[in-house]
């Protein structure tokens, strides 16, 4: 075999080794200079190869490049896929079925009523909001159960006029989120409701607020 043919084969082998290593990273690596070629060339120069071996090296190089191109295409297609978001109706349905967990009560613009709530729920109007805690001053007896027999829980329990909002109802208070009507109170009449919080200081500091209220379901 001529020296030029041996050098050609050596370059193919070195390039194959380099491209195979880079294919596992990204197709973009094929466009970059490959410093490792020099060491591969040094070890390969002088090797006597057959034409079949040269063809094998060329095929391996082509396969490595095709694999890298395919990986790049797959990554591009994955990135181009639209992100599927839950529909507004599904989000509303979750408000009707998901557990109402304990949480800290605080106003947030992220808790404004969505279009789905406004469309599907019953708008009760603008309510006066007060806040109470499980202490004896707020609740008559410290540690008492709610009117519906549940344990008062911040982020879930509100006191309502049960002639307007039946006990057990899910209620969405704009800016405060989802609650369950679990309690009543002598001063809670018509368009007024009490939101339970964990301490008397917090109830006092939250004061009096106003918000639109929606009856779900």
């Amino acid at each position: 075999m001529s020296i030029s043919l041996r050098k050609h084969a050596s370059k193919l082998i070195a390039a194959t080794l380099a491209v195979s290593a880079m294919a596992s990273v990204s197709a973009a690596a094929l466009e970059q200079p490959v410093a490792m070629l020099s060491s591969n060339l040094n070890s390969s120069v002088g090797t006597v190869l057959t034409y079949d071996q040269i063809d094998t090296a060329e095929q391996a190089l082509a396969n490595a490049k095709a694999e890298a191109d395919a990986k790049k295409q797959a990554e591009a297609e994955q990135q181009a896929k639209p992100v599927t978001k839950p529909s507004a109706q599904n989000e509303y349905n979750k408000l009707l079925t998901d557990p109402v967990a304990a949480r800290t009560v605080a106003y947030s613009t992220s808790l404004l009523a969505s279009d789905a709530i406004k469309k599907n729920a019953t708008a009760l109007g603008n309510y006066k909001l007060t806040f109470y805690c499980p202490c004896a001053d707020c609740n008559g007896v410290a540690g008492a159960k709610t009117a519906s027999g549940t344990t008062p829980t911040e982020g879930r329990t509100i006191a309502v006029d049960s002639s307007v909002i039946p006990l057990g109802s899910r209620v969405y208070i704009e800016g405060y989120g989802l609650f369950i009507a679990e309690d009543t109170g002598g001063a809670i009449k018509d368009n007024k409701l009490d939101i339970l919080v964990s301490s008397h200081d917090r109830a006092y500091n939250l004061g009096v607020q106003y918000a639109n209220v929606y009856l779900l379901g």
Side-chain angles (χ1 to χ4, degrees), residues 142-204:
K145 297 289 188 179
T146 67
S148 57
T150 60
T151 299
T153 303
E154 180 173 0
R156 189 189 71 210
T157 302
I158 56 173
V160 301
D161 181 344
S162 59
S163 68
V164 179
I165 301 175
L167 289 177
S169 300
R170 292 188 173 219
V171 177
Y172 197 91
I173 303 173
E174 188 159 40
Y176 293 90
L178 180 66
F179 297 86
I180 297 180
E182 296 183 324
D183 211 356
T184 58
I188 309 302
K189 299 296 182 183
D190 301 324
N191 62 336
K192 179 182 177 181
L193 58 79
D194 240 357
I195 300 176
L196 183 107
V197 292
S198 59
S199 71
H200 195 78
D201 286 342
R202 290 195 62 232
Y204 178 81

Side-chain angles (χ1 to χ4, degrees), residues 90-114:
N90 286 342
E91 289 292 337
Y92 179 77
N93 291 341
K94 289 180 67 175
L95 292 176
L96 300 177
T97 59
D98 283 1
V100 182
R103 59 186 170 84
T104 300
V105 170
Y107 178 86
S108 173
T109 55
S110 67
L111 295 173
L112 296 178
S114 66

